[in-house]
Amino acid sequence: MRIVGLRGVLCLAAAGLSMPAPAQSPPAQSPPVALPLATVQTEPLLVSADLRDGIDLSGDWHYSIDPYRSGIAGFHGEAPDRGQQRYLDIDVRQAMAADNRTLYEFDMAHSPVARLPGAWLAATPELRHYQGLVWYQRTFTAPADRKGRVFLRFGAANYATVVYLNGQPLGRHEGGFTPFAFEATRLLRDGENQITIGVDSAATPTTVPPPVTDWENYGGVTREIRLVQTPATYVDTAWVRLTRDGKLAVDAHLDGPAAANAPVRLTIADLKLDLAGKTDAAGNWRATMAAPRALVRWSPEQPKLYDVTLSSGEDRWRDRIGFRTVERRGADILLNGKPVFLRGISMHEEEIGANPARIITPANARALLGEIKEGLHGNYVRLSHYPHSEVMTRAADELGLLVWSEVPVYWMVAWGNTQTLATARNMLAENILRDRNRASIAIWSVANETPVSDARNAFLRQLIADVRALDDTRLVSAALLVERDRAAKVPTMAMADPLAADLDVLAINTYNGWYTGDRLADLPGSVWQIPDDKPLIFSEFGADAKAGFHSPEKMQKFSEEFQAEFYRKTLEMADRVPTLRGMSPWILKDFRSPRRQNPDFQIGWNRKGLISETGERKQAFAVLADYYARKAAVAGR
Ligand code: GCB
């Protein structure tokens, strides 16, 4: 479906790295040419491109740091000096040997190498805390049997990215956590090709997220880069789902010269479903049909997925999709029509290990999600605070975990800045369009812990409206702040956020007893003044513990005993909140955070994990696992 207004949303993001055009012949200096807005849009979308055939460009790439962004602009703001243009398609050594007037202050082909995908912080100790621009380059051989169209598709690169093919600009993208693709058909040549990527990790007050967060800003190309081939006309987006009224619905959009009035066919062999149709003049196809009787609904207990194919002309779009409904009735969350309690935990995108580089392979994803599903008896995960790898959401589909998916609209966002809003909208749209086919995703969240103001309310209302326009089959939430009544004798919290009225699910992060002076024994008696007509989730609660640090008598902070007791008392409190329908405590695994520098316990790690960075379970793990096991038994699953 080409959603009304979507093209507009996707065209808006234009901040960040600008893209200079390369000088044509040495030593000419041409003015910087920012790509025209029309080519900045992130289309093509290539939904489910990870399942399309392609050439994987993972492996060794040469890299070169560019802390002053000299490859983007000269030191007076003019076009970048040719001697700094890392993306030139030249042999630097040869050029300098041939003419002693020539100067290049880079040579990508002889620069060190790093493996992509993977954040650069793990590549060398020098890059551990580097935030800024890094250039990557490699060569590859074009597929011999080239016909149709070729796209360069990135799973994600953090944060702003410019891409050049054979010395020519291909496109730019802003946003560190969502996929993007550029058409390379025209610039690709037979035989060897050179690709150069400039990735700038620097956050500014107007980026999403802004500079101050509580996690590591993993700079670089963190997800796979592939060359994807399609026929001239191909299925760019497809969304196949079960609607709340029990119908199977499909929306698809074809792109290419034969997209209009084209025959299309949806097949789900396992269900003997074969539905034929025709696109309209804009290449869109929308159809609904009664769900087949044999359809097994996806659930955490039975995560049934079907092979779905959408064919048109020479193109065959494939996905593996589960079908279920998610809705709200009063204070209940209904999965397939039945109330469900979300037994979850929060998680950052960081693999288990002493030196993570945000490399999420299927095995890494399963190791993390397995701790939740089997270890904690969970049925739910909050993938915080940004869209996680599609490897992760596919693994959640397969393992049977419901998912809260969010965008990094976090803490202090530039609410009044129209460009920041455009960036956030773009990110949200890219996330939803990528993952609308994932049965696991139940909740789209638009923000985390953002103080109420008119500008913030307007910003978030726009995002909520976007979610509803892009996907009417899931629930919308945001982790909200509450107000503490300082005069009350027992911990008393009230929700005074007007956004509560706009959301389907209310969500609160609570750290009473960790960041506050409350005694843990007083937590169960807490009073929560929350609207009672909607489901509430404790989207976070937690306390740090350093695995192996014990303090059974004193119950010192950072001890495993303190964390375990914090969980016991907070869970007792949770049991007394009548509209509570789920929780995702903070957090599954200790994660890197430069703001955490206590030398005895933290040294750059947030220690609120129930497992350490290397996977050791702390005492509190068993406390939550037992609680969830009891909840699951009561629910009969
Ligand atoms: C929060 C934030 C989360 C932090 C956590 C903490 O409220 O949402 O990003 O990491 O608290 O550990 O303080």
Side-chain angles (χ1 to χ4, degrees), residues 162-480:
V162 288
V163 182
Y164 289 80
L165 188 59
N166 299 323
Q168 298 299 317
L170 201 60
R172 66 169 298 284
H173 179 263
E174 182 174 354
F177 309 96
T178 43
F180 53 96
F182 303 121
E183 180 148 14
T185 316
R186 202 175 44 81
L187 288 181
L188 200 69
R189 62 192 178 203
D190 290 339
E192 194 176 82
N193 285 261
Q194 178 215 60
I195 168 174
T196 311
I197 309 171
V199 195
D200 197 331
S201 67
T204 74
T206 58
T207 54
V208 184
V212 179
T213 68
D214 185 24
W215 68 86
E216 187 68 65
N217 189 26
Y218 284 99
V221 181
T222 52
R223 300 182 194 154
E224 69 170 13
I225 314 165
R226 291 170 74 237
L227 207 63
V228 174
Q229 269 188 280
T230 71
T233 299
Y234 74 99
V235 179
D236 190 44
T237 64
W239 183 27
V240 188
R241 69 224 178 253
L242 188 64
T243 61
R244 286 179 180 150
D245 56 0
K247 297 210 172 81
L248 271 194
V250 54
D251 282 286
H253 175 72
L254 267 51
D255 189 271
N261 309 312
V264 278
R265 168 162 245 139
L266 177 77
T267 46
I268 307 179
D270 255 16
L271 290 171
K272 300 195 175 47
L273 185 147
D274 190 347
L275 182 65
K278 208 174 194 204
T279 60
D280 63 14
N284 296 325
W285 181 46
R286 163 174 283 192
T288 51
M289 61 174 292
R293 281 231 190 88
L295 180 91
V296 174
R297 290 186 175 212
W298 183 98
S299 69
E301 296 73 42
Q302 196 177 4
K304 170 75 185 159
L305 301 177
Y306 291 94
D307 285 315
V308 176
T309 307
L310 209 154
S311 347
S312 183
E314 292 164 53
D315 196 29
R316 269 168 68 83
W317 177 91
R318 292 184 304 120
D319 207 338
R320 277 176 63 67
I321 302 180
F323 299 99
R324 86 286 171 276
T325 59
V326 179
E327 54 202 312
R328 170 182 85 88
R329 190 179 57 203
D332 281 335
I333 296 171
L334 307 183
L335 176 68
N336 295 322
K338 293 196 204 96
V340 62
F341 186 91
L342 303 176
R343 309 186 303 271
I345 194 149
S346 301
M347 209 175 91
H348 267 295
E349 181 169 315
E350 208 180 76
E351 69 274 22
I352 297 173
N355 192 22
R358 189 171 281 167
I359 299 172
I360 303 298
T361 59
N364 288 345
R366 279 171 174 275
L368 289 159
L369 297 184
E371 285 289 313
I372 303 174
K373 179 85 188 185
E374 283 103 43
L376 290 173
H377 313 292
N379 61 4
Y380 169 63
V381 60
R382 176 184 182 199
L383 297 180
S384 45
H385 282 297
Y386 39 75
H388 283 220
S389 162
E390 56 209 319
V391 172
M392 191 66 78
T393 52
R394 284 198 183 279
D397 261 17
E398 276 160 26
L399 288 176
L401 282 170
L402 290 157
V403 169
W404 158 304
S405 171
E406 72 188 86
V407 284
V409 177
Y410 183 94
W411 289 355
M412 222 176 78
V413 172
W415 304 116
N417 186 304
T418 50
Q419 186 57 56
T420 303
L421 176 60
T423 305
R425 295 183 69 192
N426 197 46
M427 233 174 244
L428 182 70
E430 287 175 347
N431 187 32
I432 294 177
L433 293 170
R434 188 194 76 177
D435 272 357
R436 281 187 305 185
N437 288 308
R438 302 282 70 76
S440 50
I441 297 185
I443 299 172
W444 300 117
S445 168
V446 296
N448 182 72
E449 293 185 350
T450 53
V452 174
S453 74
D454 288 347
R456 170 270 198 184
N457 300 347
F459 189 110
L460 294 187
R461 285 195 176 114
Q462 177 64 63
L463 296 189
I464 294 167
D466 286 352
V467 175
R468 299 204 190 279
L470 290 167
D471 181 359
D472 56 0
T473 68
R474 294 179 172 86
L475 306 173
V476 191
S477 192
L480 304 176

Side-chain angles (χ1 to χ4, degrees), residues 214 385 410 448-449 511 515 540 586 591 596 606 608:
D214 185 24
H385 282 297
Y410 183 94
N448 182 72
E449 293 185 350
Y511 287 91
Y515 290 122
E540 289 177 30
W586 196 254
F591 61 97
R596 311 291 175 176
N606 183 313
K608 294 191 187 70

